[in-house]
Amino acid sequence: MKRITQIGILVVLLLLIIGAVAIFWIVPAKVDRNLNAVVAHDPWPVSAKAQALHDTIPVADLHADTFLWMRDPRDRHGRGHVDLPRMREGGMFLQLFTVVTKSPPDLNYEENTSEADDITLLAFAQRWPIRTYDSLLERARFQAARLRDVVQTDDDVFLVLTRADLAAAEARRASHPGTIAALLGTEGAHPLEGQPENIDVLYADGYRVMGLQHFFDNELGGSLHGITKAGLTDFGRAAVARMEERGVIIDVAHSSEAVVREVLAMTDRPVILSHTGFKGACDSARNISDELMAQIAARGGLIGVGFWDDAVCDGSPDGVAAMIKYGIDHFGEDAIALGGDYDGSVTTYFDVSELPALTDALLRAGLTDDQVVKVMGGNTLRFFLAALPEELN
């Protein structure tokens, strides 16, 4: 009987070990692979002319959620869209890494409530620190710490906090082509947790861009995909004013049209819309009106074109190029940038290593070399060299 009991205990322990392996190693990787998929495809065409042009461009992108996923970005992976080896292969220089801290389980572009949150389960399964389980602020701080760890172990990765940091990274790129400049931004202002002083906490952690909403209404105001579609709350106006005062760049991606209008009315500095499509070319609930896009552009703002079907209707290189061309034709060549939403729980047709295919598609769409350089990175580099703080404050 004693031996049978011992065998039973060993079986239970074995089952617990198998369960732990599944929960903490197998399941998170499978979720990552499924949510951040790349459509199977033959190699995209890249002409010698396109590759030569691409090699001269400081490629830049306004939106990647890479640090939500517990794969080491220093290693090349067979899942997801972004890691340092693939960034260098694709010629990426400047990446705005955005952090997700709360997301509804069944998200859609029509209407979402804020009650449920699937990031808590993801944080547990990926073995994040316990403090992140019930604090959105700590989730943002943890993801920022992961980026700082990468910076500390790779001399060719710069955490950009000021204009001087970005200029230094750009200068180093001349002799070290694999140099990467990393910026931090939030996907919505949920990490503020309703406390304006948390703007300063996040700023101290390295955040220079802050989104206001994500998939649901929050303390600051209405989401484009929320229930109310309302404008800014009193707290939202106070938070925007504080961001403006600190020199934080505001991202109105996912914000309701009412919020976008109010932000433009109460601020002087240019804003970005980090990842989107254009409603006039892709009539999706994901996209705000062309009229508001024109106002963002007229203010010197930057509009990042996404790489997935729900935003651009056709996420292939040719489809993204067509959306970019629409943006140039309607809002000007200085206002358009890349905003792929890589690693943002979207399916794309090319990962970061395949960005030369987009340069090729843009040339075939009729863009000039100068226009391609602008949208593939020049506009974003110029914008941040002007919009970032001159020094730490």
Side-chain angles (χ1 to χ4, degrees), residues 343-365:
D343 290 332
S345 299
V346 297
T347 296
T348 69
Y349 292 73
F350 51 96
D351 70 10
V352 70
S353 71
E354 300 174 285
L355 283 171
L358 181 55
T359 293
D360 187 274
L362 290 169
L363 289 173
R364 286 187 282 105

Side-chain angles (χ1 to χ4, degrees), residues 288-309:
I288 63 174
S289 70
D290 281 13
E291 174 256 327
L292 273 177
M293 291 291 197
Q295 291 186 41
I296 292 171
R299 279 269 302 271
L302 206 55
I303 301 164
V305 174
F307 298 164
W308 76 106
D309 286 347

